[in-house]
Amino acid sequence: MVLRAGRKAGALRFGAGPCDSPPESGAYAPTMQRDGIVDDGRRFRGTGWLILLVAVLCLTVPTEGEAQFVTVGAGALFTKDNVDPVVELLVTAPPLVYDFRPYLTTSWVLDEIEPTFISAAERPIWRTSHHFTSLGAGVLWLQPANYTPYPILVSTTAVFPPIPRTMLVGIGSVQPFQDWSWSIVAKVAVMLVMGK
């Protein structure tokens, strides 16, 4: 849902990633080579946290009959300086305490092979039969930083047009500890799995 990085002309650019400027600015400076490979010991730690998070999410996915859904969507990622095509796969768990719904989103931009992951939980704040808006928080796992986690605040609005299993979705997020870097994803999503 939030995304984050891409390469242009051999340099790194950040949208809703660790900062909106190249690492040389000093705002964010991991050990990073021009080809995006990081070798500073964080790679395996970040990957381990991600694997643990996916395992926990899979354990919370309900048995038949409980609320869950999986969607695939395509649209555009808007950041301070860029607009990129984006494809996303969303996997949700059933609502938990206080109606918070945990989810995991895998996102790809056009010029990146490795995905960015977003794990979060959101609670509906406005819901009708034709749309919902939710608000929550989570973690952005940014690939150029070898999936080091970055906290985010996130909100999703989905509108259900009169087309079966289809949603128009807008997702906004900010990183409060990274100079309030922001991103917006606007996409069309199709429901692949839907439980009751």
Side-chain angles (χ1 to χ4, degrees):
M1 290 196 194
V2 230
L3 212 90
R4 335 204 200 189
R7 277 174 284 224
K8 296 290 184 187
L12 288 166
R13 59 176 168 76
F14 289 84
C19 65
D20 288 326
S21 56
E24 292 77 18
S25 69
Y28 172 73
T31 305
M32 190 175 304
Q33 301 173 3
R34 287 176 64 90
D35 62 1
I37 297 174
V38 180
D39 188 16
D40 62 357
R42 291 181 300 170
R43 178 181 197 122
F44 299 107
R45 185 178 70 222
T47 303
W49 277 110
L50 183 61
I51 292 170
L52 177 62
L53 183 68
V54 171
V56 169
L57 182 64
C58 289
L59 290 174
T60 64
V61 171
T63 57
E64 184 177 353
E66 293 183 310
Q68 63 177 323
F69 58 89
V70 177
T71 69
V72 63
L77 166 69
F78 300 86
T79 60
K80 180 179 178 182
D81 300 313
N82 301 292
V83 178
D84 294 299
V86 65
V87 174
E88 297 191 333
L89 177 68
L90 169 70
V91 179
T92 73
L96 302 177
V97 180
Y98 298 112
D99 209 23
F100 277 93
R101 180 187 293 275
Y103 63 84
L104 177 69
T105 299
T106 307
S107 298
W108 293 266
V109 291
L110 186 62
D111 59 351
E112 292 292 328
I113 296 175
E114 300 89 351
T116 292
F117 297 96
I118 302 96
S119 55
E122 295 184 41
R123 184 181 190 279
I125 57 174
W126 186 23
R127 182 164 41 193
T128 71
S129 59
H130 301 293
H131 101 288
F132 73 84
T133 297
S134 58
L135 184 65
V139 176
L140 170 67
W141 307 83
L142 190 65
Q143 188 281 328
N146 276 324
Y147 298 113
T148 300
Y150 294 91
I152 58 171
L153 302 175
V154 61
S155 179
T156 300
T157 296
V159 177
F160 307 106
I163 303 172
R165 307 179 77 88
T166 303
M167 297 183 290
L168 305 177
V169 184
I171 303 143
S173 66
V174 295
Q175 296 182 60
F177 302 110
Q178 300 295 328
D179 297 326
W180 296 94
S181 297
W182 59 270
S183 73
I184 297 172
V185 171
K187 65 180 180 179
V188 177
V190 176
M191 197 85 68
L192 300 180
V193 176
M194 182 167 48
K196 296 182 180 180

